[in-house]
Amino acid sequence: MKHANHTPTRWTRADALKVNENDPTTTQPLVSPDFPVMSDTVFIWDTMPLRELDGTVVSVDGWSVIFTLTADRRPHDPQFINADGRYDIKRDWEDRHGHARICYWYSRTGKDWIFGGRVMAEGVSPTTREWAGTPILLNNNGDIDLYYTCVTPGATIAKVRGQVVTSDTGVTLQGFDQVKSLFEADGTYYQTEAQNATWNFRDPSPFIDPVDGKLYMVFEGNVAGERGTHEVGPNELGLVPPGHEDVGGARYQVGCIGIAVAKDLNGDEWEILPPLVTAVGVNDQTERPHYVFQDNKYYLFTISHKFTYADGVTGPDGVYGFVSDHLFGPYAPMNASGLVLGNPPSQPFQTYSHCVMPNGLVTSFIDSVPTTGDDYRIGGTEAPTVRIVLKGARSFVQESYDYGYIPAMRDVVLSQ
């Protein structure tokens, strides 16, 4: 396959200097510390609504379905029992990534989720951890391709196919027993583990380009090259004001949003392309990238952390976005800075892993919410859904809804 070369858009340090953590139009409403918990037996975090390749969130025979990164709560594990005999939920929560599995939930209401269990049986996935991706409903036969990240050893973008089966009382999944590895970081466009032991390569999000009809995928990566060798030059700086030329150790932050194109609509063979957006000298993580197509524009969203920003720039945990008239750019940072929806300064870790849906609703999970003094409450559950409005290169927070409210945009009736 041959594709026109494109020049990645740089998210510059000058852009990031425009981040305003106190702008109410880009700040997520406060989450109350008395939030409800979906489950007393599992933590959930990254949430992946079942959708079609154009981004439409779907229900199946009236059942909404979400996939989540999930880990058992371990209140009786000795390693999480303090000297006073009490369960240390905070340490358990921090340890969750090492035993993350993808599970599913279903609901008639788009909330009030019922736990369905594991998507893949133990041992199906070829690596020890199942990290985030995207479930795609392929047809009205109920076939689903789950694109996800196989982690440790290495990091591989993969997919596994199964089927959703509905009844009057619930939803089950079948299949999901043959994992197909698709590609890994190449070292040319995207940093490999050999180039950086803490490299990022994960979070596949496939989509059909509404213009050319081809199947593409965006994902998180780091710009290729040995760790510490990247230069933060004039193009990475942007139009910084006097006094902001010193970048400190910013050469270590080299996040990017990657893209690949499939050979055909089956999505079994892929070609890696140069990144769409790079953040060299700005941020090291551009997690869970995904698109919303609206008003003939490409809205490219990603999530990032305050702690992954480079020296001299900062921003809240939350959603960042870029907009273009064309798939391959150039992209402009939303709201001039890139910030679309950040946590409030008083609760900087309240939510994360936001997913912006085409109807403007944004779902996320609760991480931790302050309570009294320096204490805080762990979440591991769905956060309140919020709505944002997109107007050109600007965005505005509009409303807040119930916890875990993820309504379908269209119902798919399965063929008999």
Side-chain angles (χ1 to χ4, degrees):
M1 293 179 291
K2 299 295 183 182
H3 295 272
N5 290 330
H6 63 275
T7 300
T9 294
R10 292 179 175 91
W11 184 20
T12 68
R13 290 176 65 85
D15 297 331
L17 286 172
K18 288 182 175 291
V19 169
N20 181 357
E21 297 188 50
N22 294 296
D23 181 349
T25 69
T26 57
T27 300
Q28 183 151 350
L30 290 169
V31 174
S32 172
D34 65 352
F35 56 81
V37 173
M38 286 170 54
S39 170
D40 293 324
T41 59
V42 298
F43 295 121
I44 67 101
W45 57 107
D46 294 12
T47 298
M48 302 158 262
L50 182 63
R51 65 174 178 82
E52 296 174 317
L53 282 168
D54 66 355
T56 301
V57 175
V58 294
S59 55
V60 182
D61 289 337
W63 291 103
S64 291
V65 182
I66 57 173
F67 290 51
T68 61
L69 292 191
T70 311
D72 291 336
R73 297 175 185 244
R74 297 171 289 180
H76 305 296
D77 190 320
Q79 66 177 314
F80 303 116
I81 303 301
N82 290 331
D84 59 6
R86 291 189 298 176
Y87 167 50
D88 190 337
I89 188 174
K90 296 172 183 175
R91 284 198 295 129
D92 193 6
W93 172 244
E94 290 302 317
D95 191 63
R96 70 192 186 278
H97 296 290
H99 59 116
R101 301 291 184 265
I102 299 177
C103 293
Y104 76 100
W105 308 68
Y106 55 93
S107 168
R108 282 291 196 194
T109 62
K111 54 182 183 176
D112 307 314
W113 297 99
I114 301 166
F115 186 57
R118 291 280 297 273
V119 175
M120 289 174 278
E122 186 66 31
V124 170
S125 191
T127 53
T128 60
R129 306 175 189 179
E130 302 166 11
W131 281 9
T134 308
I136 300 293
L137 183 67
L138 299 172
N139 49 48
N140 64 356
N141 293 322
D143 294 325
I144 293 173
D145 269 348
L146 171 60
Y147 291 79
Y148 77 107
T149 316
C150 298
V151 182
T152 306
T156 303
I157 304 299
K159 74 171 182 175
V160 58
R161 180 166 294 184
Q163 191 173 46
V164 58
V165 178
T166 65
S167 69
D168 291 339
T169 58
V171 170
T172 58
L173 298 181
Q174 61 185 26
F176 295 101
D177 52 10
Q178 297 286 330
V179 174
K180 180 177 180 60
S181 297
L182 300 179
F183 56 87
E184 300 178 353
D186 61 344
T188 300
Y189 296 134
Y190 303 101
Q191 200 172 53
T192 63
E193 186 176 16
Q195 294 173 331
N196 177 7
T198 56
W199 90 122
N200 298 301
F201 196 76
R202 55 180 180 262
D203 302 344
S205 179
F207 63 95
I208 295 287
D209 177 21
V211 174
D212 70 19
K214 294 179 180 178
L215 177 60
Y216 294 90
M217 175 198 301
V218 286
F219 51 87
E220 177 192 11
N222 290 138
V223 176
E226 295 292 331
R227 185 174 188 271
T229 65
H230 296 78
E231 294 185 3
V232 183
N235 290 328
E236 289 75 30
L237 282 171
L239 300 175
V240 296
H244 290 272
E245 298 89 354
D246 185 356
V247 300
R251 67 184 181 278
Y252 294 104
Q253 280 69 51
V254 293
C256 68
I257 298 175
I259 187 169
V261 61
K263 178 179 179 180
D264 53 39
L265 295 182
N266 291 323
D268 292 330
E269 297 181 50
W270 293 81
E271 176 189 354
I272 293 177
L273 303 177
L276 291 172
V277 176
T278 61
V280 174
V282 175
N283 204 306
D284 205 47
Q285 287 190 357
T286 49
E287 298 186 283
R288 294 197 69 192
H290 55 283
Y291 273 103
V292 168
F293 308 112
Q294 178 182 305
D295 301 329
N296 296 316
K297 294 185 181 296
Y298 293 80
Y299 288 94
L300 177 56
F301 296 103
T302 185
I303 55 173
S304 199
H305 290 286
K306 179 182 284 287
F307 79 87
T308 60
Y309 267 95
D311 290 349
V313 288
T314 189
D317 285 20
V319 187
Y320 293 81
F322 305 86
V323 61
S324 177
D325 292 328
H326 308 283
L327 174 59
F328 290 104
Y331 284 85
M334 294 288 294
N335 304 310
S337 68
L339 178 62
V340 171
L341 185 65
N343 281 335
S346 62
Q347 298 190 170
F349 308 112
Q350 66 171 14
T351 60
Y352 193 61
S353 198
H354 302 71
C355 175
V356 183
M357 294 170 277
N359 55 8
L361 298 187
V362 185
T363 184
S364 60
F365 74 87
I366 299 174
D367 188 332
S368 61
V369 177
T371 52
T372 57
D374 294 330
D375 203 5
Y376 57 92
R377 183 183 174 202
I378 292 297
T381 190
E382 297 287 350
T385 297
V386 300
R387 182 188 297 277
I388 62 173
V389 174
L390 306 176
K391 293 289 185 182
R394 302 178 70 190
S395 67
F396 303 86
V397 176
Q398 289 289 292
E399 297 177 81
S400 185
Y401 298 88
D402 204 353
Y403 296 87
Y405 180 52
I406 308 173
M409 299 169 59
R410 186 171 77 87
D411 186 52
V412 175
V413 178
L414 298 185
S415 57
Q416 300 299 316

